[in-house]
Amino acid sequence: MGLGMKLFGFGRFGGTLGAGRSPAGGEYRPGAMFAGLTGTRTPEIARILYLTTDEFNVRHIRFALTYRYQEKMMEAGERTLSLAAFAARFPRPLPDQAQPAPDEAGA
């Protein structure tokens, strides 16, 4: 029995990385926004910039991260996560009308 099967219940590590699977919970496309909470319960918003697939057939999402604290928003730069990790960190898709305009994000 391989290490992947022992630790994660999959025959190969590729299965643990989410290769070939799209998590439920939203439409992953450029411009879509998703919400999550940090460990300190601070709301964070991710706006998808683009999706890509690496040489191991693992899908990744490049996104712009914004933290929201009371009425203020702080831009935290761009990040990249695998699609599976992104779906776990940002489980809630935001409807289009709930997305802040780019000029409001800096206010």
Side-chain angles (χ1 to χ4, degrees):
M1 181 179 289
L3 181 62
M5 183 62 92
K6 288 180 185 175
L7 294 178
F8 305 105
F10 295 100
R12 291 275 180 194
F13 281 109
T16 65
L17 299 174
R21 285 184 257 148
S22 292
E27 184 180 331
Y28 301 97
R29 59 175 169 67
M33 295 180 79
F34 290 80
L37 293 174
T38 65
T40 60
R41 313 276 306 154
T42 301
E44 54 185 356
I45 299 170
R47 182 177 46 86
I48 296 177
L49 301 174
Y50 63 88
L51 293 91
T52 187
T53 303
D54 68 13
E55 62 272 8
F56 298 106
N57 200 30
V58 177
R59 294 181 65 197
H60 289 81
I61 294 181
R62 183 77 175 169
F63 61 97
L65 181 63
T66 303
Y67 292 104
R68 182 175 284 177
Y69 181 72
Q70 296 176 354
E71 298 299 320
K72 299 177 184 176
M73 294 183 72
M74 182 185 86
E75 297 293 327
E78 294 181 8
R79 308 280 164 59
T80 302
L81 287 174
S82 71
L83 179 57
F86 181 89
R89 182 170 172 180
F90 302 100
R92 199 176 74 230
L94 295 176
D96 290 337
Q97 59 270 25
Q99 298 176 11
D103 58 328
E104 291 176 5

XYZ file of all heavy atoms in Angstrom:
817
model
N 0.860 -1.175 0.000
C 0.000 0.000 0.000
C 0.900 1.229 0.000
O 1.798 1.360 0.800
C -0.891 -0.021 1.248
C -1.827 1.145 1.320
S -2.911 1.116 2.773
C -3.990 -0.215 2.352
N 0.618 2.169 -0.925
C 1.441 3.362 -1.054
C 1.116 4.409 -0.012
O 0.095 4.354 0.673
N 2.015 5.382 0.093
C 1.852 6.467 1.056
C 0.567 7.252 0.798
O -0.142 7.625 1.723
C 3.055 7.406 1.001
C 3.046 8.583 1.965
C 3.042 8.079 3.400
C 4.230 9.476 1.722
N 0.248 7.485 -0.482
C -0.973 8.219 -0.807
C -2.213 7.503 -0.299
O -3.143 8.110 0.213
N -2.231 6.172 -0.439
C -3.382 5.404 0.024
C -3.461 5.420 1.548
O -4.523 5.569 2.119
C -3.279 3.963 -0.485
C -4.468 3.114 -0.100
S -6.014 3.703 -0.774
C -6.064 2.790 -2.282
N -2.315 5.314 2.220
C -2.298 5.310 3.684
C -2.755 6.646 4.261
O -3.537 6.698 5.197
C -0.885 5.014 4.193
C -0.449 3.588 4.004
C 0.953 3.412 4.529
C 1.490 2.033 4.245
N 2.884 1.906 4.642
N -2.226 7.743 3.703
C -2.499 9.046 4.279
C -3.826 9.654 3.827
O -4.510 10.309 4.598
C -1.378 10.033 3.933
C -0.023 9.733 4.547
C 0.990 10.761 4.074
C -0.102 9.743 6.062
N -4.168 9.443 2.567
C -5.284 10.193 2.017
C -6.400 9.335 1.440
O -7.414 9.852 1.026
C -4.784 11.128 0.908
C -3.682 12.031 1.376
C -2.368 11.800 1.009
C -3.948 13.108 2.198
C -1.356 12.634 1.435
C -2.935 13.942 2.632
C -1.642 13.699 2.252
N -6.223 8.044 1.352
C -7.265 7.189 0.816
C -7.295 7.122 -0.691
O -8.253 6.644 -1.271
N -6.249 7.622 -1.355
C -6.165 7.565 -2.806
C -4.946 6.756 -3.203
O -3.951 6.727 -2.490
C -6.030 8.975 -3.406
C -7.238 9.820 -3.180
C -7.256 10.765 -2.173
C -8.363 9.671 -3.964
C -8.366 11.554 -1.960
C -9.484 10.453 -3.755
C -9.481 11.396 -2.756
N -4.997 6.145 -4.378
C -3.892 5.324 -4.857
C -2.664 6.117 -5.237
O -1.553 5.636 -5.157
N -2.828 7.321 -5.693
C -1.724 8.189 -6.087
C -1.955 9.584 -5.527
O -3.086 9.997 -5.286
C -1.623 8.286 -7.609
C -1.175 7.028 -8.265
C 0.315 7.018 -8.229
N 0.795 5.808 -8.868
C 2.026 5.409 -8.756
N 2.878 6.091 -8.046
N 2.420 4.328 -9.345
N -0.872 10.347 -5.386
C -1.021 11.709 -4.869
C -1.851 12.576 -5.789
O -2.480 13.526 -5.354
C 0.347 12.368 -4.647
C 1.005 11.926 -3.390
C 2.110 11.104 -3.425
C 0.511 12.323 -2.165
C 2.715 10.693 -2.258
C 1.112 11.911 -0.996
C 2.221 11.093 -1.045
N -1.880 12.286 -7.091
C -2.685 13.075 -8.017
C -4.128 13.157 -7.588
O -4.784 14.175 -7.761
N -4.663 12.091 -7.012
C -6.039 12.112 -6.539
C -6.223 13.059 -5.378
O -7.287 13.646 -5.211
N -5.185 13.253 -4.571
C -5.296 14.149 -3.425
C -5.209 15.600 -3.841
O -5.612 16.475 -3.107
C -4.195 13.873 -2.388
O -2.936 14.180 -2.972
C -4.229 12.435 -1.933
N -4.662 15.851 -5.015
C -4.484 17.218 -5.473
C -5.683 17.746 -6.245
O -5.698 18.878 -6.668
C -3.225 17.310 -6.347
C -1.933 16.933 -5.642
C -0.793 16.917 -6.640
C -1.632 17.896 -4.517
N -6.665 16.910 -6.464
C -7.857 17.362 -7.165
C -7.721 17.312 -8.666
O -8.443 18.004 -9.373
N -6.799 16.531 -9.198
C -6.598 16.451 -10.632
C -7.859 15.929 -11.307
O -8.418 14.927 -10.907
C -5.424 15.529 -10.946
N -8.287 16.632 -12.337
C -9.422 16.188 -13.123
C -10.774 16.375 -12.470
O -11.778 15.953 -13.000
N -10.839 17.011 -11.317
C -12.115 17.207 -10.632
C -12.391 18.683 -10.420
O -11.481 19.443 -10.155
C -12.094 16.519 -9.270
C -12.210 15.034 -9.385
C -12.288 14.431 -8.021
N -10.950 13.885 -7.771
C -10.396 13.816 -6.593
N -11.011 14.237 -5.538
N -9.194 13.309 -6.443
N -13.636 19.069 -10.511
C -14.046 20.438 -10.184
C -14.919 20.395 -8.946
O -15.964 19.761 -8.961
C -14.838 21.054 -11.338
O -14.015 21.256 -12.445
N -14.489 21.027 -7.864
C -15.302 21.018 -6.644
C -16.647 21.678 -6.876
O -16.789 22.603 -7.665
C -14.460 21.836 -5.661
C -13.098 21.880 -6.231
C -13.253 21.751 -7.707
N -17.641 21.196 -6.160
C -18.974 21.802 -6.226
C -18.944 23.144 -5.510
O -18.065 23.402 -4.711
C -19.977 20.872 -5.561
N -19.899 23.987 -5.789
C -20.024 25.216 -5.018
C -19.862 26.481 -5.815
O -19.928 27.557 -5.259
N -19.655 26.403 -7.086
C -19.558 27.639 -7.836
C -19.016 27.440 -9.230
O -18.465 26.402 -9.546
N -19.194 28.456 -10.029
C -18.678 28.447 -11.386
C -17.330 29.147 -11.356
O -17.250 30.341 -11.059
C -19.646 29.170 -12.312
C -19.219 29.123 -13.748
C -20.198 29.842 -14.645
O -21.387 29.894 -14.319
O -19.740 30.366 -15.674
N -16.284 28.416 -11.635
C -14.929 28.950 -11.572
C -14.563 29.524 -12.934
O -14.287 28.794 -13.873
C -13.953 27.858 -11.134
C -14.318 27.310 -9.780
C -15.058 26.147 -9.653
C -13.964 28.002 -8.633
C -15.421 25.672 -8.408
C -14.329 27.531 -7.379
C -15.057 26.368 -7.280
O -15.421 25.905 -6.041
N -14.607 30.862 -13.034
C -14.311 31.558 -14.277
C -13.689 32.904 -13.923
O -13.900 33.427 -12.819
C -15.583 31.753 -15.094
C -16.638 32.537 -14.354
C -17.877 32.850 -15.170
N -18.950 33.367 -14.341
C -18.950 34.534 -13.706
N -17.940 35.332 -13.789
N -19.982 34.914 -12.968
N -12.912 33.492 -14.833
C -12.337 34.812 -14.563
C -13.429 35.830 -14.253
O -14.481 35.855 -14.888
C -11.614 35.146 -15.869
C -11.263 33.810 -16.447
C -12.432 32.925 -16.097
N -13.193 36.612 -13.215
C -14.140 37.629 -12.790
C -15.078 37.177 -11.689
O -15.652 38.016 -10.998
N -15.252 35.874 -11.519
C -16.128 35.374 -10.453
C -15.493 35.676 -9.099
O -14.271 35.687 -8.956
C -16.361 33.877 -10.608
N -16.339 35.908 -8.100
C -15.842 36.225 -6.766
C -16.381 35.226 -5.757
O -17.524 34.789 -5.851
C -16.232 37.651 -6.389
C -15.570 38.680 -7.288
S -15.994 40.369 -6.874
C -14.932 40.632 -5.492
N -15.520 34.896 -4.794
C -15.850 33.923 -3.759
C -15.438 34.489 -2.413
O -14.484 35.260 -2.314
C -15.107 32.607 -4.009
C -15.614 31.872 -5.214
C -15.209 32.238 -6.485
C -16.498 30.821 -5.079
C -15.684 31.572 -7.598
C -16.979 30.148 -6.181
C -16.568 30.524 -7.447
N -16.162 34.086 -1.361
C -15.891 34.579 -0.012
C -15.477 33.447 0.905
O -15.877 32.300 0.726
C -17.132 35.262 0.555
N -14.657 33.797 1.884
C -14.237 32.860 2.917
C -13.933 33.631 4.188
O -14.071 34.852 4.239
N -13.534 32.912 5.217
C -13.157 33.534 6.492
C -11.766 33.061 6.875
O -11.433 31.886 6.715
C -14.135 33.143 7.603
C -15.556 33.662 7.491
C -16.421 33.052 8.590
C -15.586 35.174 7.589
N -10.961 33.962 7.416
C -9.643 33.577 7.910
C -9.803 32.874 9.255
O -10.903 32.779 9.783
C -8.745 34.822 8.103
O -9.311 35.618 9.136
C -8.609 35.625 6.821
N -8.710 32.414 9.827
C -8.741 31.775 11.140
C -9.215 32.705 12.239
O -9.732 32.261 13.262
N -9.060 34.017 12.023
C -9.517 35.004 13.005
C -10.901 35.547 12.651
O -11.316 36.558 13.178
C -8.519 36.173 13.114
O -8.404 36.792 11.825
C -7.173 35.704 13.606
N -11.585 34.861 11.726
C -12.952 35.187 11.305
C -13.044 36.497 10.527
O -14.091 37.127 10.468
C -13.920 35.210 12.494
C -13.832 34.050 13.448
C -14.587 32.825 13.085
N -15.988 33.083 12.833
C -16.721 32.316 12.040
N -16.193 31.293 11.458
N -17.986 32.587 11.833
N -11.945 36.944 9.940
C -11.961 38.118 9.084
C -12.452 37.705 7.701
O -11.897 36.773 7.118
C -10.550 38.729 8.969
O -10.085 39.074 10.273
C -10.555 39.956 8.078
N -13.461 38.373 7.163
C -13.931 38.013 5.824
C -12.864 38.297 4.773
O -12.177 39.320 4.833
C -15.145 38.916 5.609
C -15.545 39.374 6.965
C -14.288 39.406 7.779
N -12.738 37.386 3.825
C -11.822 37.601 2.715
C -12.555 37.280 1.413
O -13.419 36.410 1.376
C -10.548 36.763 2.852
C -10.757 35.290 3.035
C -9.461 34.533 3.284
O -8.381 35.133 3.245
O -9.542 33.332 3.499
N -12.212 38.040 0.387
C -12.861 37.899 -0.909
C -11.792 37.631 -1.954
O -10.757 38.293 -1.983
C -13.639 39.180 -1.268
C -14.727 39.423 -0.225
C -14.231 39.085 -2.666
C -15.382 40.769 -0.338
N -12.056 36.641 -2.797
C -11.141 36.296 -3.885
C -11.840 36.555 -5.208
O -12.956 36.093 -5.429
C -10.733 34.839 -3.784
N -11.186 37.320 -6.087
C -11.693 37.547 -7.444
C -10.784 36.788 -8.402
O -9.586 37.023 -8.457
C -11.691 39.031 -7.799
C -12.250 39.324 -9.197
C -12.312 40.812 -9.496
N -11.105 41.528 -9.147
C -10.038 41.651 -9.936
N -10.011 41.083 -11.110
N -8.991 42.340 -9.527
N -11.352 35.833 -9.114
C -10.559 34.986 -10.004
C -10.035 35.801 -11.171
O -10.788 36.502 -11.847
C -11.391 33.792 -10.512
C -11.779 32.902 -9.333
C -10.625 33.007 -11.573
C -12.657 31.735 -9.702
N -8.719 35.695 -11.400
C -8.081 36.371 -12.524
C -7.990 35.435 -13.722
O -8.319 35.811 -14.835
C -6.692 36.858 -12.120
C -6.668 37.823 -10.930
C -5.247 38.128 -10.520
C -7.433 39.089 -11.264
N -7.496 34.211 -13.487
C -7.461 33.210 -14.545
C -7.251 31.825 -13.967
O -6.882 31.675 -12.808
C -6.403 33.524 -15.607
C -4.981 33.537 -15.111
C -4.211 32.375 -15.078
C -4.380 34.722 -14.706
C -2.905 32.395 -14.637
C -3.076 34.758 -14.261
C -2.338 33.589 -14.233
O -1.046 33.613 -13.795
N -7.538 30.809 -14.778
C -7.354 29.407 -14.407
C -6.315 28.800 -15.329
O -6.216 29.177 -16.494
C -8.665 28.632 -14.548
C -9.758 29.024 -13.569
C -10.630 30.101 -14.131
C -10.576 27.825 -13.214
N -5.563 27.847 -14.805
C -4.552 27.169 -15.595
C -4.425 25.724 -15.120
O -4.904 25.384 -14.050
C -3.193 27.910 -15.485
O -2.265 27.329 -16.381
C -2.645 27.874 -14.080
N -3.786 24.903 -15.922
C -3.529 23.510 -15.565
C -2.040 23.261 -15.691
O -1.428 23.623 -16.708
C -4.308 22.556 -16.498
O -5.693 22.876 -16.414
C -4.108 21.110 -16.103
N -1.425 22.657 -14.671
C 0.015 22.413 -14.711
C 0.332 21.099 -15.414
O -0.553 20.398 -15.902
C 0.633 22.484 -13.308
C 0.200 21.361 -12.397
O -0.383 20.369 -12.861
O 0.449 21.483 -11.176
N 1.615 20.755 -15.459
C 2.069 19.557 -16.176
C 1.610 18.260 -15.519
O 1.686 17.196 -16.124
C 3.595 19.556 -16.332
C 4.361 19.531 -15.036
C 4.634 20.900 -14.436
O 4.108 21.909 -14.923
O 5.390 20.956 -13.452
N 1.102 18.315 -14.295
C 0.577 17.130 -13.612
C -0.949 17.053 -13.714
O -1.583 16.299 -13.004
C 0.999 17.124 -12.141
C 2.484 17.075 -11.970
C 3.170 18.201 -11.562
C 3.185 15.914 -12.236
C 4.541 18.168 -11.407
C 4.552 15.868 -12.085
C 5.242 17.000 -11.676
N -1.532 17.895 -14.574
C -2.968 17.958 -14.806
C -3.735 18.437 -13.562
O -4.866 18.045 -13.334
C -3.525 16.618 -15.300
C -4.863 16.793 -15.986
O -5.128 17.832 -16.581
N -5.717 15.800 -15.884
N -3.091 19.275 -12.757
C -3.738 19.872 -11.587
C -4.161 21.290 -11.970
O -3.346 22.078 -12.441
C -2.784 19.920 -10.370
C -3.447 20.617 -9.193
C -2.342 18.522 -9.996
N -5.442 21.591 -11.767
C -5.957 22.914 -12.099
C -5.620 23.898 -10.977
O -5.706 23.556 -9.804
C -7.454 22.855 -12.320
C -7.801 22.015 -13.555
C -9.254 21.951 -13.810
N -9.743 23.284 -14.133
C -11.028 23.627 -14.097
N -11.938 22.739 -13.751
N -11.407 24.839 -14.400
N -5.227 25.108 -11.363
C -4.893 26.169 -10.423
C -5.697 27.414 -10.752
O -6.069 27.645 -11.896
C -3.402 26.501 -10.492
C -2.531 25.436 -9.930
N -2.187 24.312 -10.641
C -1.950 25.305 -8.725
C -1.412 23.539 -9.895
N -1.259 24.116 -8.723
N -5.911 28.220 -9.720
C -6.619 29.489 -9.865
C -5.705 30.605 -9.388
O -5.171 30.548 -8.280
C -7.922 29.497 -9.047
C -8.901 28.484 -9.627
C -8.527 30.896 -9.012
C -10.223 28.422 -8.901
N -5.525 31.617 -10.225
C -4.824 32.845 -9.842
C -5.910 33.839 -9.462
O -6.874 34.039 -10.205
C -3.991 33.359 -11.011
C -3.172 34.573 -10.686
C -1.972 34.203 -9.886
N -1.130 35.373 -9.672
C -0.127 35.387 -8.847
N 0.187 34.299 -8.166
N 0.591 36.462 -8.685
N -5.790 34.449 -8.286
C -6.849 35.338 -7.804
C -6.279 36.537 -7.072
O -5.146 36.513 -6.578
C -7.820 34.576 -6.894
C -7.190 33.990 -5.658
C -7.251 34.659 -4.447
C -6.547 32.768 -5.704
C -6.680 34.121 -3.310
C -5.973 32.220 -4.571
C -6.030 32.889 -3.370
N -7.071 37.601 -7.031
C -6.749 38.802 -6.260
C -7.480 38.666 -4.926
O -8.670 38.372 -4.888
C -7.205 40.049 -6.999
N -6.742 38.872 -3.832
C -7.281 38.682 -2.496
C -7.541 40.029 -1.827
O -6.700 40.928 -1.869
C -6.304 37.864 -1.654
C -6.708 37.542 -0.223
C -7.966 36.674 -0.211
C -5.575 36.827 0.485
N -8.706 40.151 -1.205
C -9.085 41.358 -0.475
C -9.635 40.950 0.880
O -10.428 40.015 0.979
C -10.180 42.135 -1.247
O -9.703 42.432 -2.553
C -10.540 43.425 -0.538
N -9.175 41.641 1.932
C -9.708 41.418 3.274
C -10.694 42.531 3.583
O -10.478 43.682 3.225
C -8.595 41.435 4.323
C -7.652 40.273 4.204
C -6.389 40.439 3.658
C -8.036 39.008 4.619
C -5.525 39.371 3.536
C -7.178 37.933 4.488
C -5.918 38.124 3.948
O -5.082 37.066 3.825
N -11.778 42.183 4.266
C -12.783 43.171 4.640
C -12.821 43.256 6.161
O -12.977 42.249 6.846
C -14.147 42.759 4.104
C -15.229 43.770 4.418
C -16.528 43.389 3.783
N -16.423 43.717 2.357
C -17.364 43.465 1.475
N -18.461 42.863 1.841
N -17.211 43.809 0.226
N -12.674 44.460 6.688
C -12.763 44.687 8.129
C -13.692 45.857 8.366
O -13.381 46.987 7.953
C -11.385 44.959 8.734
C -11.430 45.172 10.218
C -11.668 44.107 11.077
C -11.258 46.431 10.761
C -11.734 44.294 12.448
C -11.315 46.635 12.130
C -11.549 45.558 12.963
O -11.616 45.740 14.317
N -14.816 45.598 8.991
C -15.868 46.591 9.204
C -16.225 47.223 7.860
O -16.662 46.523 6.966
C -15.449 47.602 10.258
C -15.268 46.965 11.614
C -14.757 47.927 12.658
O -14.431 49.072 12.370
N -14.686 47.462 13.879
N -16.012 48.492 7.688
C -16.357 49.158 6.426
C -15.150 49.350 5.513
O -15.271 49.973 4.472
C -16.998 50.529 6.720
C -18.291 50.433 7.504
C -19.362 49.650 6.755
O -19.490 49.814 5.529
O -20.067 48.852 7.404
N -14.012 48.832 5.892
C -12.786 49.026 5.116
C -12.416 47.754 4.370
O -12.717 46.648 4.809
C -11.641 49.434 6.033
C -11.896 50.727 6.757
C -10.786 51.051 7.690
C -11.147 52.302 8.469
N -10.157 52.631 9.456
N -11.730 47.940 3.247
C -11.234 46.807 2.480
C -9.747 47.004 2.239
O -9.296 48.110 1.957
C -11.985 46.681 1.162
C -13.450 46.322 1.378
S -14.358 46.074 -0.136
C -13.686 44.533 -0.673
N -8.977 45.917 2.367
C -7.541 45.988 2.165
C -7.139 45.000 1.076
O -7.413 43.807 1.185
C -6.806 45.628 3.456
C -5.301 45.722 3.316
S -4.440 45.156 4.787
C -4.367 43.409 4.453
N -6.525 45.518 0.024
C -6.024 44.660 -1.046
C -4.805 43.909 -0.529
O -3.922 44.499 0.088
C -5.631 45.502 -2.262
C -6.789 46.245 -2.899
C -7.790 45.313 -3.547
O -7.391 44.253 -4.064
O -8.987 45.650 -3.528
N -4.759 42.599 -0.748
C -3.660 41.774 -0.249
C -2.857 41.139 -1.373
O -2.117 40.195 -1.142
C -4.207 40.703 0.687
N -3.025 41.610 -2.597
C -2.229 41.123 -3.709
C -2.826 39.900 -4.389
O -3.957 39.507 -4.125
N -2.022 39.316 -5.279
C -2.451 38.149 -6.041
C -1.868 36.881 -5.436
O -0.760 36.890 -4.898
C -2.006 38.269 -7.500
C -2.683 39.405 -8.220
C -2.250 39.501 -9.674
O -1.545 38.600 -10.175
O -2.627 40.499 -10.312
N -2.617 35.800 -5.536
C -2.199 34.497 -5.012
C -2.583 33.425 -6.015
O -3.435 33.639 -6.881
C -2.886 34.197 -3.688
C -2.762 35.284 -2.634
C -1.429 35.207 -1.946
N -1.017 36.360 -1.181
C -1.606 36.933 -0.167
N -2.758 36.512 0.255
N -1.078 37.953 0.460
N -1.999 32.236 -5.853
C -2.355 31.074 -6.662
C -2.580 29.890 -5.744
O -1.781 29.644 -4.844
C -1.232 30.724 -7.667
O -0.989 31.858 -8.500
C -1.618 29.542 -8.531
N -3.676 29.166 -5.960
C -3.982 27.942 -5.234
C -4.497 26.904 -6.224
O -5.035 27.257 -7.279
C -5.072 28.181 -4.190
C -4.711 28.959 -2.940
C -5.965 29.218 -2.107
C -3.691 28.206 -2.118
N -4.362 25.636 -5.857
C -5.001 24.607 -6.666
C -6.506 24.814 -6.565
O -7.001 25.416 -5.601
C -4.622 23.214 -6.183
O -5.242 22.936 -4.938
N -7.233 24.314 -7.538
C -8.682 24.468 -7.529
C -9.290 23.859 -6.273
O -10.173 24.448 -5.648
C -9.282 23.829 -8.782
C -10.792 23.885 -8.928
C -11.306 25.314 -8.877
C -11.213 23.216 -10.214
N -8.784 22.697 -5.854
C -9.317 22.044 -4.647
C -9.052 22.889 -3.396
O -9.932 23.058 -2.555
C -8.712 20.656 -4.492
N -7.842 23.450 -3.275
C -7.510 24.284 -2.119
C -8.311 25.585 -2.143
O -8.778 26.063 -1.103
C -6.020 24.580 -2.088
N -8.495 26.149 -3.334
C -9.287 27.374 -3.467
C -10.726 27.130 -3.025
O -11.304 27.919 -2.274
C -9.250 27.862 -4.917
C -10.012 29.134 -5.148
C -9.390 30.363 -4.998
C -11.351 29.106 -5.511
C -10.091 31.545 -5.204
C -12.066 30.280 -5.720
C -11.432 31.501 -5.566
N -11.304 26.020 -3.480
C -12.691 25.693 -3.130
C -12.855 25.491 -1.626
O -13.881 25.847 -1.055
C -13.149 24.453 -3.880
N -11.827 24.926 -0.968
C -11.901 24.719 0.478
C -11.766 26.047 1.234
O -12.446 26.270 2.237
C -10.810 23.753 0.926
N -10.912 26.937 0.742
C -10.680 28.210 1.431
C -11.790 29.228 1.163
O -12.118 30.044 2.024
C -9.338 28.790 0.988
C -8.992 30.085 1.680
C -7.583 30.492 1.407
N -7.314 31.821 1.927
C -6.159 32.431 1.826
N -5.154 31.833 1.242
N -6.007 33.640 2.314
N -12.349 29.198 -0.049
C -13.397 30.145 -0.441
C -14.636 29.369 -0.882
O -14.910 29.223 -2.071
C -12.905 31.042 -1.585
C -11.673 31.821 -1.247
C -10.427 31.396 -1.677
C -11.751 32.963 -0.481
C -9.279 32.106 -1.358
C -10.615 33.682 -0.150
C -9.374 33.243 -0.597
N -15.418 28.861 0.071
C -16.531 27.973 -0.275
C -17.782 28.674 -0.805
O -18.641 28.024 -1.382
C -16.839 27.278 1.051
C -16.419 28.251 2.092
C -15.224 28.967 1.519
N -17.892 29.983 -0.611
C -19.157 30.655 -0.929
C -19.015 31.585 -2.134
O -18.348 32.618 -2.066
C -19.612 31.465 0.283
C -21.074 31.826 0.247
C -21.511 32.540 1.509
N -20.981 33.911 1.476
C -20.321 34.484 2.475
N -20.093 33.827 3.578
N -19.890 35.708 2.371
N -19.650 31.244 -3.274
C -19.633 32.164 -4.410
C -20.475 33.395 -4.114
O -21.500 33.308 -3.429
C -20.228 31.348 -5.559
C -20.956 30.225 -4.927
C -20.378 30.016 -3.555
N -20.020 34.544 -4.581
C -20.774 35.787 -4.393
C -21.565 36.081 -5.657
O -21.049 35.955 -6.761
C -19.823 36.953 -4.107
C -19.032 36.865 -2.813
C -18.061 38.037 -2.716
C -19.957 36.844 -1.620
N -22.819 36.500 -5.509
C -23.592 36.879 -6.696
C -22.976 38.114 -7.334
O -22.320 38.919 -6.653
C -24.988 37.155 -6.154
C -24.857 37.257 -4.682
C -23.573 36.611 -4.286
N -23.185 38.288 -8.612
C -22.581 39.401 -9.340
C -22.901 40.760 -8.736
O -22.051 41.620 -8.667
C -23.013 39.389 -10.811
C -22.386 38.230 -11.566
O -21.336 37.726 -11.112
O -22.938 37.826 -12.598
N -24.129 40.964 -8.242
C -24.498 42.263 -7.696
C -23.821 42.545 -6.348
O -23.763 43.675 -5.919
C -26.014 42.423 -7.566
C -26.683 41.403 -6.690
C -27.132 40.181 -7.464
O -26.587 39.853 -8.502
N -28.125 39.490 -6.959
N -23.278 41.513 -5.669
C -22.626 41.721 -4.373
C -21.154 42.078 -4.534
O -20.482 42.373 -3.574
C -22.749 40.468 -3.513
N -20.658 42.069 -5.760
C -19.250 42.344 -5.975
C -18.986 43.847 -5.909
O -19.669 44.631 -6.560
C -18.816 41.807 -7.334
C -18.979 40.316 -7.440
C -18.643 39.813 -8.825
O -18.113 40.536 -9.641
N -18.956 38.566 -9.074
N -17.988 44.260 -5.122
C -17.676 45.687 -5.042
C -17.019 46.161 -6.336
O -16.296 45.416 -6.982
C -16.705 45.777 -3.869
C -16.100 44.427 -3.775
C -17.146 43.460 -4.252
N -17.303 47.390 -6.707
C -16.656 47.975 -7.870
C -15.191 48.192 -7.570
O -14.811 48.405 -6.417
C -17.344 49.297 -8.217
N -14.302 48.150 -8.581
C -12.871 48.299 -8.339
C -12.509 49.594 -7.604
O -11.631 49.591 -6.764
C -12.264 48.287 -9.732
C -13.260 47.564 -10.582
C -14.598 47.869 -9.985
N -13.203 50.696 -7.868
C -12.869 51.944 -7.187
C -13.333 51.961 -5.736
O -12.807 52.681 -4.906
C -13.444 53.152 -7.934
C -14.965 53.059 -8.085
O -15.482 51.943 -8.204
O -15.608 54.119 -8.085
N -14.293 51.096 -5.369
C -14.734 51.010 -3.978
C -13.764 50.201 -3.127
O -13.687 50.390 -1.931
C -16.106 50.327 -3.901
C -17.235 51.136 -4.467
C -18.529 50.376 -4.436
O -18.556 49.251 -3.879
O -19.540 50.878 -4.948
N -12.995 49.302 -3.749
C -12.097 48.425 -3.002
C -10.984 49.213 -2.313
O -10.521 48.820 -1.263
C -11.495 47.372 -3.930
N -10.573 50.316 -2.871
C -9.493 51.083 -2.273
C -9.977 52.071 -1.229
O -9.194 52.695 -0.533
N -11.269 52.248 -1.084
C -11.817 53.243 -0.155
C -11.693 52.806 1.287
O -11.598 51.702 1.652
C -13.279 53.495 -0.479
